[in-house]
Amino acid sequence: MTLRKLLVPAIVAGVAGLAQAEIDYKVTVDPQNHQLQIHMLIPAEKGPVSVQMPSWMPGAYTYGNFYENVHDVIAKDVDGSATDVGHPDKNTWRVTATGKGVIDLSYTVPSNGRRFGGGAPDSGYLQISGPTAYMYVVGRKNEKCKITFEVPDKWPVVLGLDEDKGGQPNTYVAPSYDVLADAPVSTGSDIIVDKYTLRGKDHYVVLEGAAKNQVDKARLMKDCRFVSAAETDFWGSVPYHKYVWHFIVFPGADGAGGLEHLSSTQISLSSGEGPRAQSVLSHEYFHLWNVKRIRAKVLGPFDYLTLPKTGALWWLEGVTDYYAGLIPYRYGEWKRDQFFDDVTRNVTAVRSNPARLTVSPYQASYRVGDANNGRGNSNGYEISYYNLGWLAGMCLDIEIRQQTNGKHSLDDVARALYDLCKDNKPGFEEDEIRKQCIRFGGPSLGPFYDKVVMSPGELPVEEQLAKAGLKMDEHDEPMVDVGFAAAPSRQGGGVRFARIHGPADGKIMTGDVLVAMNGKSLQGMDPRGVASVIAPVIQGAAVGTPITLTVSRGGQNVDVTIDPVMSSRKVKTISDDPAATPAQIALRDGWLYTKLPSVQ
């Protein structure tokens, strides 16, 4: 393939005022060798200069150890003379500037290495996540950056940064390393790029992956546009110059996972784009405000070597998830029952975990770095801060509405936090959310906040719903029971079984590894592929239709037949309370109001 030849901008010697310097990056995609070649031009006076590779990625609160992918680190003077490179620790490389004005540092990372999104040039697409590919200059992350991408001819390059006007092709600028690293890139020989315009801003929809042509593109475009219209209307602002939806599509009826960025999102999307996938679109876009602008102080500028400690992830993730369902309801995309299903789903998830009685939403957030033997995770310590935060947000919302007779709500708290943090102002202090709840809800919100956020124990969901003239009931619902659940092991080692009971008793053993289901091998599949096989079989199970499994047990494959049986499960439902008072009905109507989005 022919590469576009892009010249690296020259930087003259004798650079003055390093605080105003610009650090230049060039990323060359090398399809033949499955790697990215990275060049950094670093203005530097005489003396030592250190660069580091991040250990974690903002939004994913787990150590990724990206330094393991760095190879072939070379440093040169501006005249091309080689300079020794030291490697004092796993994340750090150190060179000595000779005073000639610039250091030319180069290194490689694999183009199919560990990073969110994935892909490889020979699979038709490639996503580059900044913290997994770009080093930064120690002590100089606040300096301006410029980045140029050198790709094979006719490969599009799509990212959320502003183009360098008047500069070379595929060159972009960022005011700091944090912004540079927070702009993932999609490129490749076989990606689909579409666009819509809303509120005067261009929004790009990028489809990648083997199942990209199975997506209903018109519906996906409609859903993306709806989310943009509804949420910019809710916030009353558009905090970006352009926006990019990076979708990697896998086969499946529903499901998605995402990672938020300042002007884009990376989403692994089911080709069927069902209701859960649609809620992920809403969730990730809401992050443009809540976490990317509204943030705890430790969430920018970032320490890329140590996981942050903040007790606010229940708000930043869980309350984001709350609004990810509430806004589609308010703006007419969801029916009321769908939103109520979101309530009961979160109640079930929290109350099925005994850690709720010992771990508060604040602790689940603050101690996330202690999870997974100190490696962290993106869900919470012992219990999900998504589920806890969803319910805590709802409880606070209803309480503020009741205490103020509908004059204020959690919406006011969210917008006040945005006013506090927007325009690159420092993030909020750990007690700021509590202060804003008291500001809008009155003094009683202090003790209430402490109860639902700072203290472990049962969240008062039923009590709060009653204040809105609603009741939550539980009843038995018939179901077909296969007697097991199966999912890829988080520690590796294939697909493991859980909750073995009933029709699977004596047939599946603890420690068995699922090798095939109904004759379809699972070996070599990634987690998304595994889910696309397992989920339809379990969800479509029928009495009288056996399920055949092949399991690995003691080093040998064993065939097992499971005969599904009829059973029942406890299901929670929410409905209007016929005995609700006028005040309760007024609160409910104020909470669950509907409107049309502005689509300017």
Side-chain angles (χ1 to χ4, degrees):
M1 300 180 190
T2 302
L3 292 176
R4 297 191 184 110
K5 298 302 180 182
L6 302 178
L7 299 176
V8 179
I11 301 179
V12 298
V15 175
L18 288 181
Q20 301 301 317
E22 179 179 86
I23 298 170
D24 284 16
Y25 294 75
K26 183 178 77 168
V27 179
T28 301
V29 178
D30 182 354
Q32 283 73 31
N33 295 305
H34 300 280
Q35 67 183 16
L36 305 177
Q37 298 172 347
I38 315 290
H39 271 267
M40 295 175 65
L41 292 181
I42 307 168
E45 297 173 347
K46 192 171 184 178
V49 176
S50 294
V51 295
Q52 289 179 329
M53 195 65 156
S55 283
W56 69 284
M57 187 184 310
Y61 303 102
T62 182
Y63 287 112
N65 298 338
F66 306 127
Y67 60 84
E68 294 175 353
N69 286 334
V70 177
H71 303 286
D72 307 319
V73 182
I74 299 172
K76 296 180 181 180
D77 285 331
V78 70
D79 61 6
S81 302
T83 302
D84 289 340
V85 178
H87 193 23
D89 61 60
K90 59 189 179 182
N91 291 91
T92 308
W93 289 260
R94 181 175 296 151
V95 301
T96 300
T98 60
K100 296 180 181 179
V102 66
I103 295 171
D104 181 354
L105 182 81
S106 65
Y107 59 95
T108 64
V109 294
S111 57
N112 56 352
R114 289 183 306 173
R115 66 187 174 282
F116 187 93
D122 59 357
S123 67
Y125 75 96
L126 173 68
Q127 274 194 16
I128 303 170
S129 292
T132 70
Y134 313 148
M135 291 188 186
Y136 57 85
V137 183
V138 176
R140 295 171 59 182
K141 295 195 296 289
N142 63 332
E143 294 178 22
K144 293 179 181 179
C145 300
K146 182 184 292 185
I147 189 163
T148 299
F149 297 92
E150 188 176 82
V151 298
D153 283 336
K154 298 183 180 179
W155 281 22
V157 174
V158 190
L159 67 161
L161 293 179
D162 292 335
E163 293 186 48
D164 180 25
K165 297 187 183 300
Q168 302 172 42
N170 290 338
T171 300
Y172 301 84
V173 294
S176 67
Y177 175 85
D178 282 356
V179 176
L180 173 73
D182 203 36
V185 182
S186 285
T187 187
S189 61
D190 190 27
I191 69 175
I192 299 170
V193 183
D194 211 336
K195 183 177 77 171
Y196 63 93
T197 301
L198 187 135
R199 294 185 182 269
K201 309 293 184 181
D202 289 333
H203 299 67
Y204 295 87
V205 178
V206 183
L207 296 177
E208 309 162 67
K212 65 182 180 299
N213 290 312
Q214 300 174 25
V215 174
D216 184 335
K217 297 180 182 65
R219 187 179 72 176
L220 178 60
M221 183 71 74
K222 174 179 174 291
D223 289 342
C224 290
R225 185 180 178 87
F226 165 79
V227 167
S228 301
E231 295 188 7
T232 55
D233 183 76
F234 173 84
W235 288 103
S237 70
V238 183
Y240 50 84
H241 296 158
K242 65 178 177 179
Y243 189 79
V244 182
W245 300 90
H246 300 273
F247 290 113
I248 296 179
V249 187
F250 63 91
D254 199 3
L259 187 67
E260 68 277 359
H261 301 283
L262 278 165
S263 56
S264 60
T265 183
Q266 293 169 286
I267 295 178
S268 58
L269 179 73
S270 57
S271 55
E273 201 217 335
R276 294 306 306 158
Q278 291 166 349
S279 72
V280 170
L281 270 62
S282 181
H283 176 103
E284 298 303 332
Y285 195 84
F286 197 87
H287 271 318
L288 281 167
W289 296 268
N290 201 36
V291 85
K292 300 315 299 184
R293 275 85 184 173
I294 302 169
R295 67 187 192 280
K297 276 196 171 179
V298 295
L299 298 181
F302 293 103
D303 174 353
Y304 289 96
L305 301 187
T306 305
L307 290 178
K309 281 187 173 292
T310 174
L313 295 178
W314 69 271
W315 173 278
L316 299 172
E317 293 291 354
V319 171
T320 291
D321 220 24
Y322 169 64
Y323 279 107
L326 184 59
I327 288 178
Y329 168 73
R330 284 181 178 172
Y331 287 88
E333 190 73 7
W334 283 17
K335 302 297 184 185
R336 183 171 292 200
D337 285 349
Q338 189 172 354
F339 176 69
F340 285 166
D341 285 346
D342 229 14
V343 180
T344 58
R345 178 181 60 82
N346 282 281
V347 170
T348 299
V350 168
R351 292 185 179 172
S352 64
N353 188 338
R356 73 190 188 280
L357 303 177
T358 56
V359 179
S360 69
Y362 185 92
Q363 291 168 327
S365 305
Y366 192 80
R367 297 191 63 188
V368 65
D370 297 335
N372 198 17
N373 295 318
R375 289 186 59 85
N377 66 26
S378 294
N379 192 48
Y381 173 73
E382 298 292 338
I383 187 169
S384 171
Y385 49 61
Y386 287 86
N387 303 129
L388 284 174
W390 201 110
L391 296 176
M394 184 191 74
C395 290
L396 287 167
D397 197 359
I398 292 173
E399 189 68 14
I400 294 171
R401 290 174 184 275
Q402 189 201 46
Q403 293 298 326
T404 64
N405 292 319
K407 182 180 178 181
H408 293 296
S409 70
L410 200 67
D411 302 359
D412 298 302
V413 175
R415 292 176 183 130
L417 289 170
Y418 180 53
D419 287 339
L420 186 70
C421 298
K422 67 182 180 181
D423 300 328
N424 295 318
K425 287 179 281 193
F428 57 75
E429 302 288 353
E430 288 293 292
D431 62 348
E432 188 61 42
I433 302 170
R434 185 181 189 274
K435 288 180 178 178
Q436 294 296 334
C437 287
I438 294 170
R439 172 188 172 190
F440 289 104
S444 67
L445 261 292
F448 187 82
Y449 180 96
D450 295 340
K451 176 182 178 181
V452 301
V453 174
M454 306 303 294
S455 305
E458 215 71 86
L459 290 167
V461 174
E462 289 87 349
E463 178 184 339
Q464 295 305 99
L465 289 174
K467 294 174 182 178
L470 298 166
K471 58 179 183 175
M472 185 166 65
D473 298 311
E474 187 174 76
H475 63 274
D476 291 328
E477 178 181 84
M479 61 169 287
V480 176
D481 187 5
V482 301
F484 67 90
S489 170
R490 291 184 178 181
Q491 288 75 40
V495 183
R496 300 285 180 172
F497 291 96
R499 301 197 300 275
I500 301 168
H501 63 277
D505 274 341
K507 297 182 177 183
I508 299 173
M509 308 296 177
T510 301
D512 283 355
V513 177
L514 182 60
V515 175
M517 177 175 275
N518 283 349
K520 179 139 182 99
S521 174
L522 302 178
Q523 293 182 307
M525 286 188 176
D526 63 18
R528 292 190 295 258
V530 169
S532 72
V533 173
I534 294 175
V537 172
I538 293 178
Q539 293 168 6
V543 174
T545 302
I547 296 173
T548 59
L549 309 175
T550 301
V551 302
S552 175
R553 180 184 301 161
Q556 294 185 331
N557 285 352
V558 178
D559 292 328
V560 174
T561 299
I562 304 294
D563 295 304
V565 300
M566 286 303 300
S567 183
S568 64
R569 60 185 171 191
K570 297 291 184 183
V571 175
K572 293 180 173 63
T573 57
I574 296 173
S575 60
D576 292 352
D577 184 351
T581 67
Q584 291 169 334
I585 294 171
L587 192 157
R588 181 176 68 212
D589 291 344
W591 175 37
L592 301 177
Y593 68 86
T594 59
K595 63 179 293 188
L596 294 175
S598 170
V599 292
Q600 300 176 23

